[in-house]
Amino acid sequence: MARIGEVCQVLDELWPPSWAEEWDNIGLLVGDRQGTVHRCFCALDADGPVIAAAIAAGAELVISHHPLPFRPIRSVTEDSPTGAALLLAGREQVSLFACHTNLDVAPTGVSFHLAKALGVEPEPGRPTMLRVTGRDPLYKLIVFVPAGHEDSVLRAMADAGAGHVGNYSHCSFAAPGTGTFRPLAGAHPFIGQVGSLERQSELRLEVIVPAAARRKVVAALLAAHPYEEVAYDLIHLENDGEARGYGFVGTLPRSVRLSSFATRVARRLESPATRFVGDPERSIHRVAVVGGAGVDFVDDALARGADVLVTADVRYHEARGTEAKGLCLVDAGHQATEAVVIPAMAAELREALHRAQLEVEVLVADPRADVWHVPRLREP
Ligand SMILES: [Zn+2]
């Protein structure tokens, strides 16, 4: 059991609200942070049927990719599907939380999982993000630790998110030196006596800390450090932090014809309404993907040398324009290109709740049939 507010804090640390677009509506949209939660329910949409399924599953918090409400509303009544869904959530005390564009741009967000589902692999030495929208500022944390305590302090800081460089964790630098201090009246020194000047062998321990994790890291440092008063410096750096942004670009292990690739997309995403634009015989090697409506990324995909862009919600003239530019398109539907992230989001949340020692079960909504049906051309 946890407070809704505690789970919101874990969610905000995984997918910081500052990553979301200005026009977006994310975070806790319905509910009481003081309320209790035993079970979360992760889903692509938050609408009446999903909220009803969450209630049936005994969940008190729905975490969705598409926000409810999304656009500003003037009234909350049973007269509209949005109003009815919000009233249902309120009546049954189900809170609603949305991770939308802040999940889209996450390094392991929607497009990352879409690419993984399609077997698109990163290219060594080339960035995978199709359009970078920002980078998290970095900080350097320097702390002075008495010799013998450096490992426990480093582990606590690293577990809280410090010392990550690319594919390496627990990165630090330690240099020996001497610290001095004189405990004054009222002090309870870990080492030394009140009133006498102490000289102590210490290590200067340095780690990198991403901005989003800095409060948590400092709290972990203070909890793990043996001294009553901890000397540390937190310094803002000019170095670029980890990139976040839209899309994923990579390659297939083996080139395939466009028509076979489109069939693979349809099969892996279980999206029979998948359509494609381009010469069916064209060889496909480099693939760009953008989950959801991503036709605005055609030029980014071309600039990165992609043969095809896998996305959704492409309109006729956009398809014609993309064909004229020489880029193939696979439109696999909005739902199918985004639903892949929901089980992954649930898994990340489960791990983070466990790290935060919050006992909350995380359920994943049953995959819904696509809102689009495909007619049979020949009746049986
Ligand atoms: Zn979407």
Side-chain angles (χ1 to χ4, degrees):
M1 193 270 285
R3 299 264 164 224
I4 298 271
E6 290 175 309
V7 176
C8 292
Q9 203 182 326
V10 169
L11 286 159
D12 286 348
E13 278 166 16
L14 285 172
W15 303 290
S18 61
W19 291 2
E21 299 285 352
E22 232 167 75
W23 48 260
D24 206 356
N25 197 30
I26 48 121
L28 186 67
L29 303 179
V30 172
D32 175 8
R33 286 176 201 278
Q34 297 308 317
T36 55
V37 52
H38 300 79
R39 214 166 274 165
C40 303
F41 195 77
C42 297
L44 182 62
D45 303 304
D47 56 13
V50 169
I51 294 168
I55 294 164
E60 301 96 339
L61 176 62
V62 172
I63 300 159
S64 65
H65 181 49
H66 294 138
L68 182 81
F70 181 37
R71 303 196 188 288
I73 46 174
R74 286 177 179 275
S75 60
V76 181
T77 66
E78 295 285 350
D79 298 338
S80 71
T82 297
L86 290 171
L87 286 170
L88 174 64
R91 254 191 332 267
E92 299 287 336
Q93 299 192 345
V94 170
S95 298
L96 305 181
F97 189 101
C99 294
H100 192 209
T101 48
N102 47 334
L103 178 63
D104 280 325
V105 301
T108 55
V110 176
S111 298
F112 171 85
H113 289 287
L114 175 58
K116 209 169 150 190
L118 301 180
V120 180
E121 294 171 354
E123 291 171 90
R126 286 178 63 121
T128 53
M129 217 149 258
L130 193 53
R131 188 190 293 170
V132 172
T133 55
R135 289 178 186 274
D136 240 8
L138 279 179
Y139 285 75
K140 169 70 70 78
L141 178 58
I142 302 164
V143 58
F144 303 89
V145 187
H149 292 266
E150 62 276 14
D151 286 347
S152 53
V153 170
L154 172 63
R155 203 175 314 120
M157 294 193 295
D159 289 350
H164 259 274
V165 180
N167 291 331
Y168 296 83
S169 73
H170 295 72
C171 301
S172 70
F173 183 80
T178 305
T180 68
F181 50 87
R182 174 184 286 152
L184 302 176
H188 301 283
F190 176 69
I191 297 165
Q193 304 290 325
V194 169
S196 65
L197 185 66
E198 287 297 325
R199 296 174 70 79
Q200 173 66 33
S201 289
E202 291 179 347
L203 287 160
R204 176 191 161 106
L205 204 55
E206 302 184 17
V207 284
I208 293 283
V209 182
R214 67 190 191 279
R215 279 190 195 86
K216 208 171 145 195
V217 170
V218 169
L221 158 67
L222 296 178
H225 200 291
Y227 282 2
E228 187 176 21
E229 298 293 345
V230 179
Y232 69 90
D233 303 319
L234 189 61
I235 302 164
H236 187 271
L237 300 178
E238 293 290 326
N239 307 43
D240 281 336
E242 190 176 19
R244 59 174 184 274
Y246 291 98
F248 186 99
V249 62
T251 51
L252 300 175
R254 231 177 311 133
S255 299
V256 290
R257 288 182 306 140
L258 174 61
S259 57
S260 314
F261 178 68
T263 305
R264 177 190 304 184
V265 174
R267 284 217 180 104
R268 297 230 179 142
L269 302 183
E270 294 177 45
S271 181
T274 295
R275 307 174 293 176
F276 68 93
V277 171
D279 178 356
E281 296 300 320
R282 179 156 159 193
S283 173
I284 301 296
H285 177 58
R286 187 169 290 128
V287 177
V289 311
V290 178
V295 79
D296 289 348
F297 295 85
V298 162
D299 291 337
D300 301 80
L302 280 166
R304 295 292 297 278
D307 300 305
V308 65
L309 170 65
V310 181
T311 189
D313 297 351
V314 181
R315 294 190 290 191
Y316 174 76
H317 291 293
E318 294 166 337
R320 281 280 177 220
T322 305
E323 185 185 42
K325 286 180 177 178
L327 180 70
C328 303
L329 272 176
V330 176
D331 183 330
H334 198 116
Q335 185 173 324
T337 56
E338 291 193 331
V340 286
V341 79
I342 302 303
M345 176 180 93
E348 271 195 68
L349 175 61
R350 218 170 272 135
E351 246 177 60
L353 288 169
H354 182 72
R355 276 198 306 272
Q357 296 178 340
L358 297 176
E359 271 189 41
V360 180
E361 202 182 339
V362 181
L363 306 180
V364 180
D366 281 338
R368 297 169 101 178
D370 201 316
V371 68
W372 297 102
H373 295 267
V374 186
R376 284 186 183 177
L377 293 184
R378 256 183 244 133
E379 288 300 328

